[in-house]
Amino acid sequence: AQSVTQPDIHITVSEGASLELRCNYSYGATPYLFWYVQSPGQGLQLLLKYFSGDTLVQGIKGFEAEFKRSQSSFNLRKPSVHWSDAAEYFCAVGAFDTGRRALTFGSGTRLQVQP
Amino acid sequence: GAGVSQSPSNKVTEKGKDVELRCDPISGHTALYWYRQSLGQGLEFLIYFQGNSAPDKSGLPSDRFSAERTGGSVSTLTIQRTQQEDSAVYLCASRFGPSGANVLTFGAGSRLTVL
């Protein structure tokens, strides 16, 4: 079964600084990879997804993520963080399995943005 | 509907009372998940429905928790004899089909507070 690790529970960056949120996965085949964002009091919203092809994927709100097979990673990046990016970010891996195993979430990284 | 709708958005109840939380998924989405998110925590899988298949209930924390999905559409999560540790946000999500490749769409959640 697949698993997802987000090693950073909490990250604080200054507004305008660059951001990288780490995500490592474990899966025996090429996974489907997702990043979701959860703003305070809201449900989760899809930021971007990787299925195949170009390993650098662009998402909404200026985010991008790079799939690195050799490192089993799918890190999320943004060149310049805005105060409105403060939220919780979840990495997830989707699989060919059916049932609940079709999608596994990491434990999340809470981003705080300092003025 | 256009999105996943959950009700109520907020529920305050007394310990020992029963509560029902409702999820109305996107029309045509056959897969439906319930997750629980306790304060500052990640997503805890509760139950998964896919079409007419038997639901995967392996994440339900106790026999006080149950869920049903009528007509392959609306789902209700029921918590009997609520306890304070049941206080959390309960998130519902739906997806078109069983494949983990398909994007999961989340509702805004139902915040449950047990006094």
Side-chain angles (χ1 to χ4, degrees):
Chain A
Q2 66 269 27
S3 65
V4 181
T5 301
Q6 293 181 247
D8 304 306
I9 296 172
H10 186 212
I11 284 183
T12 300
V13 300
S14 298
E15 191 169 14
S18 63
L19 171 70
E20 183 169 31
L21 302 182
R22 295 184 290 165
C23 172
N24 293 97
Y25 70 90
S26 173
Y27 183 58
T30 300
Y32 304 119
L33 296 163
F34 306 85
W35 274 100
Y36 286 85
V37 60
Q38 185 181 32
S39 299
Q42 302 296 313
L44 276 71
Q45 179 185 19
L46 180 71
L47 275 178
L48 48 78
K49 61 183 185 287
Y50 170 79
F51 287 174
S52 64
D54 193 347
T55 56
L56 183 64
V57 293
Q58 303 296 321
I60 61 171
K61 305 183 180 186
F63 285 91
E64 66 179 26
E66 186 171 12
F67 170 58
K68 293 186 177 180
R69 185 189 303 276
S70 61
Q71 298 177 17
S72 298
S73 69
F74 188 57
N75 294 349
L76 182 71
R77 302 194 294 247
K78 186 169 184 178
S80 177
V81 170
H82 188 263
W83 65 267
S84 60
D85 294 326
E88 184 140 25
Y89 293 80
F90 292 92
C91 180
V93 56
F96 291 103
D97 292 336
T98 57
R100 64 162 295 190
R101 295 184 184 84
L103 190 66
T104 302
F105 282 91
S107 55
T109 297
R110 184 170 298 277
L111 173 65
Q112 192 171 1
V113 180
Q114 288 182 336
Chain B
V4 178
S5 178
Q6 291 188 246
S7 61
S9 54
N10 277 287
K11 175 72 175 179
V12 180
T13 190
E14 294 179 347
K15 178 181 173 181
K17 301 283 189 182
D18 297 352
V19 297
E20 284 190 352
L21 307 177
R22 175 188 168 106
C23 174
D24 200 344
I26 292 174
S27 178
H29 279 196
T30 59
L32 187 148
Y33 288 82
W34 281 99
Y35 291 92
R36 179 167 71 174
Q37 189 175 28
S38 300
L39 185 64
Q41 301 298 309
L43 296 169
E44 177 187 5
F45 166 80
L46 296 178
I47 189 167
Y48 169 74
F49 296 90
Q50 170 54 46
N52 296 321
S53 302
D56 180 341
K57 305 178 181 181
S58 58
L60 295 178
S62 77
D63 59 8
R64 297 186 295 104
F65 287 72
S66 63
E68 63 177 20
R69 190 178 183 191
T70 53
S73 180
V74 172
S75 177
T76 303
L77 177 69
T78 301
I79 309 173
Q80 295 179 310
R81 305 180 302 282
T82 52
Q83 304 294 312
Q84 288 184 332
E85 61 261 30
D86 299 334
S87 296
V89 176
Y90 290 82
L91 291 167
C92 176
S94 71
R95 180 180 64 215
F96 179 76
S99 171
N102 295 326
V103 173
L104 206 58
T105 302
F106 282 82
S110 292
R111 181 178 297 278
L112 174 65
T113 303
V114 182
L115 302 177

